[in-house]
Amino acid sequence: TLLSSLGLGTTLTFASSHWLLAWMGLEINTLAIIPLMAQHHHPRAVEATTKYFLTQATAAAMILFASTTNAWITGAWDMNNVSNPIASTMIITALALKIGLAPMHFWMPEVLQGLDLLTGLVLSTWQKLAPLALIIQTAQAIDPLLLTTLGLMSTLIGGWGGLNQTQLRKILAYSSIAHMGWMIIVLQYAPQLTLLALLMYIFMTSAAFLTLKTSSATKIGTLATVWSKSPILTTTTALVLLSLGGLPPLTGFMPKWLILQELAKQSLPLIATIMALAALLSLYFYLRLCYAMTLTISPNTTTSTTPWRVQTTQASFPLALATVMALGLLPVT
């Protein structure tokens, strides 16, 4: 029931051109994921669920208020003409809070850290779809300076915040903030690149989360002991992380390349340079993970290559699919 409601809420938001229906979709979506997040009854998970609920409820209330204001002033509820600047600014602020764009990002690492890996995967991929659909639909009415600021701040903070982390879920949260920044920065020039970046981000994040789920790793220290259990998985994980960092010839290079090209085409060389340098910050912590996984031998494990193991019950097909997508899609460009 909860998973189908989750899908239903997002689909409602996709299908709506009326603000009330979009708001209702977002609410159904939030209410469906709350029990999924708290299902293990761990105090940390309950705390994360409460934080998530408060931020999402605030954002939904702001969206409702802004769309009501817009309808009150213009007499129209449809999305494609939010002509009132106050309403459009409030709407983009609320949607940025919903997907965790900086400076409204503070809940994101905290919440993701409290969840288990599969719910974290849903939170960092599926939960981004509905708000981003609304952002793309209303992007033309929003002040371009505001969008650029959101995008730049998100990439910089997503890079800086992750530098000092040892918890993998927090690192992935900051990586998510940075990727959202890349999507927002190009939105007003080429919305199709935003969608492309979102798709590639979903593939790479799914691969990363499913890998961590397979090795049940939540800290950097655990990663150092994975190589003796599953050497091939270690290799592909290192490549997936480099793909998240955006290195050619992996998939993650494609959105960055096209977005930088588009920014240069719009004669915004300074913004393009800042974005490229912010990507270096993110690359540093992905490289740290790669280093811990593939270039160090951990002192706290038996170094035999075939330790005692039981037959795994986890489905490996989604992981294989996501990994292939995250590594090999660059020729599509």
Side-chain angles (χ1 to χ4, degrees):
T1 310
L2 293 172
L3 282 172
S4 56
S5 303
L6 196 66
L8 173 77
T10 306
T11 318
L12 255 181
T13 309
F14 281 169
S16 65
S17 59
H18 188 288
W19 274 116
L20 265 181
L21 201 59
W23 168 80
M24 209 180 312
L26 291 170
E27 279 294 276
I28 292 173
N29 197 347
T30 306
L31 290 176
I33 201 171
I34 292 290
L36 290 173
M37 289 165 76
Q39 65 185 340
H40 294 300
H41 303 298
H42 188 281
R44 189 70 188 79
V46 175
E47 179 193 343
T49 312
T50 313
K51 287 177 180 169
Y52 183 75
F53 172 72
L54 290 173
T55 50
Q56 299 298 303
T58 310
M62 275 180 75
I63 289 171
L64 191 60
F65 179 57
S67 51
T68 315
T69 309
N70 185 54
W72 181 40
I73 292 172
T74 63
W77 276 98
D78 50 337
M79 278 178 201
N80 26 25
N81 54 358
V82 185
S83 49
N84 183 29
I86 302 173
S88 67
T89 308
M90 280 186 63
I91 283 170
I92 186 68
T93 313
L95 291 169
L97 177 61
K98 263 202 177 301
I99 59 172
L101 283 169
M104 282 76 84
H105 67 284
F106 292 99
W107 59 272
M108 181 86 194
E110 299 289 325
V111 168
L112 209 55
Q113 179 57 34
L115 306 178
D116 69 306
L117 290 163
L118 285 181
T119 323
L121 171 64
V122 171
L123 184 73
S124 46
T125 56
W126 184 257
Q127 292 300 95
K128 305 283 189 227
L129 295 177
L132 262 169
L134 295 182
I135 289 180
I136 289 173
Q137 283 184 63
T138 52
Q140 301 313 316
I142 298 161
D143 180 23
L145 180 64
L146 181 63
L147 276 179
T148 310
T149 314
L150 281 173
L152 278 176
M153 277 194 71
S154 297
T155 38
L156 284 167
I157 286 177
W160 258 313
L163 291 183
N164 212 9
Q165 300 293 339
T166 56
Q167 301 285 344
L168 296 177
R169 285 167 293 189
K170 282 195 178 176
I171 287 182
L172 283 167
Y174 280 110
S175 133
S176 163
I177 295 168
H179 279 277
M180 290 294 142
W182 278 91
M183 287 172 218
I184 295 298
I185 198 85
V186 77
L187 179 61
Q188 48 198 326
Y189 310 113
Q192 64 275 20
L193 283 188
T194 302
L195 285 174
L196 177 83
L198 174 67
L199 195 64
M200 296 308 140
Y201 160 75
I202 286 179
F203 284 144
M204 297 184 294
T205 309
S206 308
F209 268 106
L210 291 167
T211 307
L212 298 180
K213 177 84 178 66
T214 309
S215 55
S216 8
T218 53
K219 288 196 286 292
I220 293 188
T222 324
L223 282 182
T225 64
V226 173
W227 65 272
S228 60
K229 311 273 192 303
S230 42
I232 298 178
L233 188 67
T234 309
T235 315
T236 55
T237 311
L239 288 171
V240 164
L241 287 167
L242 292 177
S243 179
L244 268 167
L247 289 189
L250 304 165
T251 306
F253 180 55
M254 171 175 22
K256 289 193 165 49
W257 175 23
L258 294 173
I259 287 172
L260 288 178
Q261 185 188 2
E262 180 64 37
L263 289 174
K265 199 193 294 179
Q266 301 285 349
S267 63
L268 299 164
L270 184 63
I271 291 179
T273 313
I274 297 175
M275 294 294 285
L277 292 175
L280 278 180
L281 287 168
S282 302
L283 186 61
Y284 174 76
F285 57 80
Y286 297 126
L287 281 174
R288 237 176 73 213
L289 293 184
C290 288
Y291 178 74
M293 281 195 79
T294 53
L295 296 174
T296 53
I297 290 184
S298 172
N300 59 1
T301 178
T302 52
T303 48
S304 64
T305 47
T306 52
W308 174 83
R309 66 177 80 190
V310 289
Q311 189 63 41
T312 177
T313 55
Q314 301 192 51
S316 57
F317 177 70
L319 171 61
L321 186 68
T323 305
V324 169
M325 292 294 200
L327 298 186
L329 279 189
L330 189 67
V332 177
T333 325

